[in-house]
Amino acid sequence: MLLSYLPEILTFAAGLLILFVFSVRRSSFDIITSVSFLTLLVLMVISVSGIVQPDASSRLFASSRFTEFFRIIIFVSLLFTFLFSNRSREISENTAPEYFLMLYLFFVAASFMVMAENLLSLYISMEILSLISYICVSFDFDRARSKEAGLKYAIYGAVASSIMLFGISYMYGTTGSLYYSEIAQKLQETGSLSEPVFLMNILVILMIFGGLFFKLSVFPFYAWSPDVYQGGPTPFVALLSVASKAAAIGALIKVVMIMFAADTNALTNGNIALILGIIAVLTMTLGNLMAINQNNLKRLLAYSSIAHAGYMIMALSAVDDTSVLAVKFYLVAYLVMNLGAFYCVQIVSDRTDSEDIENYYGLSSRNPYLAALFTVFLLSLTGIPPFFGFIGKFYLFAAIIHKGGGWYYALAIIGVINSAISLYYYARIIRAMYLLNGNDEPFVFDSVRKYTIGFLGVLAVLFGVWFSPVLRFVEYFHTVLR
Amino acid sequence: MLVKILFYIISLGIAGLALFTAMSKNIVRSVFALLGVMIGVACIYGILGSAYLAVIQIMIYVGGIMVLFIFAVMFTSKIEDINITNRSYGWIQALIISLAIFVMFAFIILYYPFEKASMLEHQSVERIGKVISAEYLPFLIAIAVILLVSLVGAITIARPKKE
């Protein structure tokens, strides 16, 4: 039974070992990074090698193919984070071992969050994940902004998680259980639709969603993300925008599909879809509209990642198998393009010490390679045809339209309008890089980053035209329930 | 009957002290009012027949968290001179929102058909201990991870910078 948690246990142990070894024996950033990278790579190979079999017997944390998918997503985004944390201006060499321990534990917490089958285990793993995020966001010790970001994040997080905990306590009070499946059963038995029961259920559902929405930076709880993204170290922020959201959406899918699955009862049927749909509309629109005026690229990407969470929630609001598949497919695309965009920003800001759009003027003549790749990622984030993001968005909208009905068509139209809005601010960056003139000194950066980002760029283009392997990969891991 | 009267007195006390915590201009007084709130909550647990929760509440919140609060306040220099207040900032909006939330919860709690739990079933410390160390064992381990993360994080953040 423990064998099914082998990746988490080994990662935990490896993180401690890395902290111990490199605290005793101070080494250079390069060595620590390479050791951590290779260790994690080995762990990832172990976790997909078939030694680790899914185990659904545990009632607190159950692994399945579904959770394995998220494990891989988190593993991959961590590997990229390692490469870009190395020699980052924002992470000091002195604290590298602690930083890598935090990243290893990040995997453990995020993976357990998706595996949770019980509201309390969801809450606890989410708390660990949040705690790690607060700490890592303030890891850029030399700058006050990083500490400010950490503090803001912690305060917002405390509010969101206390709301969630309050909701969980009500859920326990009304259904007498914390297990997803038992709650679903109990909700089904609650036949009578008296007003207090209905109101209570909606309220409790909203409160439980609150904590997950905070991790996803979705409508009521999105305000932290621009400040945190701007202040935190860029490699970690990139991880936050991908892996933390992946874990949250994994947990959300499980909560929605197991606890409030569409046919469970008359009480939640339709209402969950409506709640998610409204939240998605608000999130997409606010994220995109607020991104328009941003001159700081990290803030801009923060708002854009809010909008992307909105697209995913939009698809999820169909609450069926197709939509879950679409969301998972989109996560793969989002991983490639969002990490790529953040790393482009990091490469520039590591040199210029600023993320303002002025630094990107004339980048195409200073470093054509970087400018071209950044353009690819931005166009992919917009959802322009030959790129990976287009296929991802296509599946999201297809899931909505497949479900059919006036509300879903309206949702899809709002989503398309939002994509059009997003083109404006993404294109603004492309214009700055290609059409405006800045200083002309050539811009160089080290080869590890060059190849890594090139790899991401190739994926963003390649999977845009040849996406069947990704689809097969996602379909292989496609089970929602056990 | 006596228990009922006691319950209402304590509840009123908690509400009053909580208001004082939020409204007071002096942070030291706020902290001590919060201490009163915590003790009051422990008393409510006791009245409702959950001795275990009452003890835990006293031990963790009164004994641990509040002492930490008081230390933090006392060690921060000149904190008594700073006027921190909630009153000057958008109290009408705050009142409307809190009233709305209050009415919503009050409505639900008054009318929701809660099942009555038998009190004796849950209060055995022995049973709680067994559940924690068997069914909920992963949570004990998870709490160890939380401690590790917070220790490492606190040390890393608070460590003096090398020149």
Side-chain angles (χ1 to χ4, degrees), chain A residues 293-480:
Chain A
N293 274 328
Q294 302 304 325
N295 275 326
N296 183 302
L297 283 211
K298 260 159 95 180
R299 279 188 94 82
L300 190 148
L301 285 178
Y303 282 116
S304 113
S305 78
I306 293 174
H308 283 273
Y311 299 136
M312 287 189 261
I313 299 275
M314 174 193 77
L316 193 60
S317 76
V319 201
D320 58 8
D321 242 24
T322 332
S323 70
V324 171
L325 189 76
V327 169
K328 283 160 77 182
F329 187 90
Y330 193 72
L331 262 180
V332 181
Y334 180 68
L335 181 139
V336 170
M337 59 201 188
N338 209 47
L339 283 184
F342 266 106
Y343 293 150
C344 289
V345 172
Q346 192 199 339
I347 287 167
V348 175
S349 69
D350 264 359
R351 264 286 290 277
T352 56
D353 206 13
S354 139
E355 292 107 19
D356 290 340
I357 198 163
E358 284 83 23
N359 298 307
Y360 295 79
Y361 288 173
L363 192 68
S364 60
S365 56
R366 294 162 68 197
N367 192 327
Y369 179 76
L370 185 62
L373 281 173
F374 201 10
T375 310
V376 167
F377 295 132
L378 290 174
L379 290 179
S380 181
L381 279 168
T382 327
I384 300 275
F387 302 111
F388 200 6
F390 167 72
I391 309 293
K393 258 189 194 159
F394 179 80
Y395 272 99
L396 289 186
F397 287 119
I400 288 286
I401 289 168
H402 173 78
K403 182 84 176 179
W407 166 245
Y408 289 109
Y409 290 137
L411 257 185
I413 290 169
I414 295 171
V416 171
I417 293 174
N418 267 294
S419 297
I421 299 174
S422 74
L423 178 63
Y424 172 75
Y425 59 83
Y426 291 131
R428 209 161 66 107
I429 308 172
I430 300 172
R431 171 172 165 266
M433 289 191 297
Y434 281 92
L435 300 179
L436 298 174
N437 291 321
N439 64 345
D440 287 333
E441 62 176 300
F443 185 99
V444 284
F445 54 98
D446 66 277
S447 52
V448 174
R449 289 182 181 189
K450 202 171 188 170
Y451 294 129
T452 315
I453 206 156
F455 177 63
L456 283 171
V458 167
L459 289 188
V461 179
L462 181 71
F463 287 152
V465 278
W466 185 53
F467 54 89
S468 56
V470 184
L471 196 61
R472 271 206 299 274
F473 166 75
V474 174
E475 271 171 351
Y476 175 77
F477 290 107
H478 186 61
T479 48
V480 175

Side-chain angles (χ1 to χ4, degrees), chain A residues 16 60 95 98 102 105 120-121 124 128 135 138-139 141-142 170 173-174 179 186 196-197 199-200 203, chain B residues 104-105 107-109 111-115 135-136 138-139 142 145-146 148-149 152-153 156-157 159 161:
Chain A
L16 285 181
L60 291 177
T95 52
E98 287 88 349
M102 288 295 161
L105 292 181
L120 208 55
S121 47
I124 287 185
I128 301 178
I135 293 165
S138 32
F139 243 80
F141 300 115
D142 296 336
Y170 269 110
T174 55
Y179 295 99
K186 196 81 184 178
V197 177
L199 261 181
M200 174 68 117
L203 192 70
Chain B
M104 195 165 61
F105 275 111
F107 173 77
I108 288 170
I109 290 168
Y111 294 102
Y112 190 85
F114 281 107
E115 285 172 38
E135 191 185 357
Y136 292 122
F139 294 159
V145 178
I146 293 184
L148 173 79
V149 169
V152 173
T156 319
I157 290 175
R159 183 161 55 187
K161 263 181 253 166

Side-chain angles (χ1 to χ4, degrees), chain A residues 60-294:
Chain A
L60 291 177
F61 300 100
S63 59
S64 60
R65 283 214 177 144
F66 177 79
T67 64
E68 268 176 21
F69 171 82
F70 285 92
R71 222 180 235 165
I72 294 170
I73 290 277
I74 298 159
F75 260 136
V76 172
S77 43
L78 266 177
L79 287 175
F80 284 114
T81 310
F82 282 176
L83 289 179
F84 273 82
S85 298
N86 187 24
R87 293 199 212 157
S88 161
R89 179 180 52 81
E90 293 154 313
I91 292 149
S92 122
E93 200 171 320
N94 291 326
T95 52
E98 287 88 349
Y99 179 72
F100 284 116
L101 169 72
M102 288 295 161
L103 291 187
Y104 272 78
L105 292 181
F106 187 98
F107 167 76
V108 177
S111 178
F112 273 124
M113 193 171 149
V114 184
M115 284 199 275
E117 293 265 314
N118 173 306
L119 282 174
L120 208 55
S121 47
L122 171 69
Y123 174 76
I124 287 185
S125 40
M126 214 178 85
E127 260 328 77
I128 301 178
L129 189 68
S130 301
L131 202 57
I132 295 168
S133 310
Y134 309 150
I135 293 165
C136 284
V137 161
S138 32
F139 243 80
D140 185 0
F141 300 115
D142 296 336
R143 291 201 301 179
R145 183 168 276 163
S146 174
K147 284 178 194 143
E148 185 198 325
L151 192 63
K152 269 186 185 163
Y153 197 12
I155 291 170
Y156 269 109
V159 173
S161 63
S162 56
I163 289 175
M164 183 179 177
L165 200 57
F166 201 25
I168 292 174
S169 72
Y170 269 110
M171 188 55 109
Y172 187 68
T174 55
T175 61
S177 174
L178 289 170
Y179 295 99
Y180 293 176
S181 46
E182 282 176 15
I183 290 173
Q185 221 169 19
K186 196 81 184 178
L187 283 176
Q188 203 165 15
E189 286 163 14
T190 334
S192 63
L193 276 176
S194 69
E195 213 156 58
V197 177
F198 176 76
L199 261 181
M200 174 68 117
N201 277 286
I202 294 294
L203 192 70
V204 165
I205 289 165
L206 277 178
M207 282 161 87
I208 290 175
F209 278 174
L212 292 167
F213 283 174
F214 164 75
K215 291 259 78 154
L216 261 172
S217 67
V218 158
F219 166 62
F221 299 107
Y222 66 94
W224 58 272
S225 79
D227 287 332
V228 168
Y229 281 28
Q230 191 185 359
T234 317
F236 183 74
V237 164
L239 178 75
L240 207 58
S241 76
V242 174
S244 164
K245 278 190 188 190
I249 201 126
L252 186 66
I253 289 173
K254 266 185 128 171
V255 168
V256 169
M257 299 300 285
I258 301 179
M259 226 149 86
F260 314 124
D263 53 350
T264 315
N265 63 356
L267 197 72
T268 50
N269 184 17
N271 289 316
I272 290 291
L274 194 65
I275 290 174
L276 288 177
I278 292 170
I279 296 279
V281 168
L282 288 169
T283 310
M284 289 188 290
T285 317
L286 277 171
N288 278 322
L289 288 182
M290 280 156 109
I292 288 177
N293 274 328
Q294 302 304 325

